[in-house]
Amino acid sequence: MIRVFHIRNDVRLPEQEWTRRCRTLPKEIQRDLNRYRRWQDRQAGLLGKLLLRYAAKKIDAALPELSTLATGAYRRPYFPYRPDFDFNISHTDGLVVCCSAVGMGRLGVDVERVGEVDLGEFRRVFTAEEYAQLQSSPDQVTDFYRLWTRKEAVMKADGRGFSLDPADINCLPERIGVDGTHYTVRELHLRPGYAAHLAARTLPEVTVHEVSLAELH
């Protein structure tokens, strides 16, 4: 089973609450969060780590603490002592998402807030087939975000992220191939006004839960 948790990030936490929540995280993570200038980015980072800790406890209370997180190739975080546990975090304006599972291989998730887009500015990130389909779409904005979140979720599941060239990955098929490995992608309906997709080599049961700040102990 893959569990997906999401939380709103559209209201700034009071300073006292921000400080209290930060102090529950390892010092290194606290330092990383404080490097962000915008409160939205700092808070998204905080909520992402709190969601990860919440998700890990829901799956297996014996999972390592956040202090044991390491960064592997392409700066992808993981727990060295639990290679069977994988997770991925994504955030956009107003929303943070974390997916996690045991024994499912690498996961990828991407969420974007839907807004106006100039399709021409993104020509270089799509294959010729993808771009032609977008150009002929009666709803270019919706289809752009749907296709882009599919693409980024797969790139994150691959593990190399933007070290890959997005234009080399055709995300129109049901199963999406990257260098001989194929991924299944599922659309996530989180909140109105957002597009999101989850990617993994196989997608069995997927559960989606909205979480409140009060639940993130």
Side-chain angles (χ1 to χ4, degrees), residues 6-164:
H6 62 99
I7 187 170
R8 296 175 64 169
N9 184 37
D10 49 3
V11 177
R12 186 173 187 174
L13 292 175
E15 192 64 31
Q16 186 175 2
E17 178 72 0
W18 161 264
T19 301
R20 184 179 73 82
R21 294 282 182 171
C22 272
R23 286 177 177 170
T24 69
L25 299 176
K27 295 290 187 183
E28 184 175 351
I29 293 178
Q30 292 183 45
R31 287 194 295 270
D32 288 342
L33 293 178
N34 284 316
R35 290 173 183 158
Y36 292 107
R37 293 187 177 184
R38 298 174 67 245
W39 72 264
Q40 293 93 335
D41 298 327
R42 287 195 302 273
Q43 193 162 292
L46 169 67
L47 294 175
K49 291 301 188 295
L50 295 179
L51 277 180
L52 172 58
R53 186 168 64 191
Y54 179 84
K57 289 179 179 178
K58 286 290 184 182
I59 288 179
D60 184 348
L63 277 165
E65 292 293 326
L66 295 182
S67 59
T68 65
L69 273 175
T71 303
Y74 306 100
R75 299 189 56 80
R76 195 178 198 275
Y78 70 104
F79 288 104
Y81 305 109
R82 286 298 302 268
D84 59 328
F85 175 77
D86 196 65
F87 65 93
N88 200 229
I89 298 170
S90 179
H91 62 84
T92 188
D93 183 19
L95 196 64
V96 183
V97 183
C98 175
C99 64
S100 60
V102 171
M104 297 299 302
R106 283 196 299 259
L107 310 176
V109 67
D110 185 51
V111 60
E112 302 289 345
R113 186 166 188 167
V114 176
E116 292 300 318
V117 62
D118 182 350
L119 193 60
E121 294 182 1
F122 294 90
R123 171 64 188 88
R124 62 183 180 81
V125 302
F126 293 111
T127 66
E129 185 181 0
E130 289 172 335
Y131 193 68
Q133 181 164 310
L134 285 173
Q135 283 185 306
S136 63
S137 169
D139 188 351
Q140 290 185 350
V141 171
T142 297
D143 287 346
F144 166 84
Y145 283 101
R146 183 176 293 130
L147 185 58
W148 176 252
T149 53
R150 283 173 64 85
K151 191 180 290 278
E152 189 165 348
V154 167
M155 293 165 64
K156 294 174 75 176
D158 172 87
R160 288 174 287 176
F162 279 96
S163 295
L164 297 167

